[in-house]
Amino acid sequence: GNSVTQMEGPVTLSEEAFLTINCTYTATGYPSLFWYVQYPGEGLQLLLKATKADDKGSNKGFEATYRKETTSFHLEKGSVQVSDSAVYFCALRGGGAQKLVFGQGTRLTINP
Amino acid sequence: GAGVSQTPSNKVTEKGKYVELRCDPISGHTALYWYRQSLGQGPEFLIYFQGTGAADDSGLPNDRFFAVRPEGSVSTLKIQRTERGDSAVYLCASSLTGTGGAGYTFGSGTRLTVV
């Protein structure tokens, strides 16, 4: 079945550092890939998405590229801010199913 | 409404009791989903509605769990004979259609604690 594996956390960085959170997936067919973010005390929010190979999703300075050859969708940001502290979830939707399959989440803390 | 609304936000119940969790999706969204998120884990799929019908209920863990969406809008997740292992945050999400490229809008969840 479909599955998502995320880089284990927690991850702690200083402000303005470069961020990478790794995500790899296993899926049949051509899934759509997503990153969701959960800020403290808030619900899950869609951060970015990509629906086909080589697509790059981007939002709020974050980027992720759909790499079919490596079955990856790593999240990157060039210069993180304290306000980026949250839990990040990689997810996929595919194989004809409508449900999202989530990774276990990566807690990110940015120190000033 | 402007977002997906879930009530109650918190529910504490005794083992063995029956609970109902309500989800009010974004107006016009035909697809509605229930997920369960245990502490430190990603959300796990429970059930998906397209309109009034359950199009995929493969994630419901056992027959104690049941969900309805009688008029194609509000949905209720029902848990019978609750167990301590049912304690989790139950998330509802909706989307305009069920198509694969769209993201969902999630509600803030109902935190269920079974004591």
Side-chain angles (χ1 to χ4, degrees), chain A residues 2 25-33 51 53 66 68 71 92-96:
Chain A
N2 296 343
Y25 67 89
T26 301
T28 55
Y30 302 93
S32 295
L33 300 174
T51 58
Y66 188 149
K68 190 165 176 60
T71 61
L92 71 80
R93 186 175 182 182

Side-chain angles (χ1 to χ4, degrees), chain A residues 9-11 24 26 28 30 66 69 73 77 81 86 88 101:
Chain A
V11 174
T24 56
T26 301
T28 55
Y30 302 93
Y66 188 149
E69 63 277 12
F73 193 55
K77 186 172 185 181
Q81 306 300 312
Y88 291 81
V101 176

Side-chain angles (χ1 to χ4, degrees), chain A residues 36 49 89 93 98-100 103, chain B residues 33 35 37 98-99 101-102 104:
Chain A
Y36 278 82
K49 64 175 183 173
F89 294 92
R93 186 175 182 182
Q98 301 309 319
K99 62 187 178 187
L100 281 171
Chain B
Y33 312 80
Y35 285 78
Q37 187 175 16
T99 56
Y104 302 167

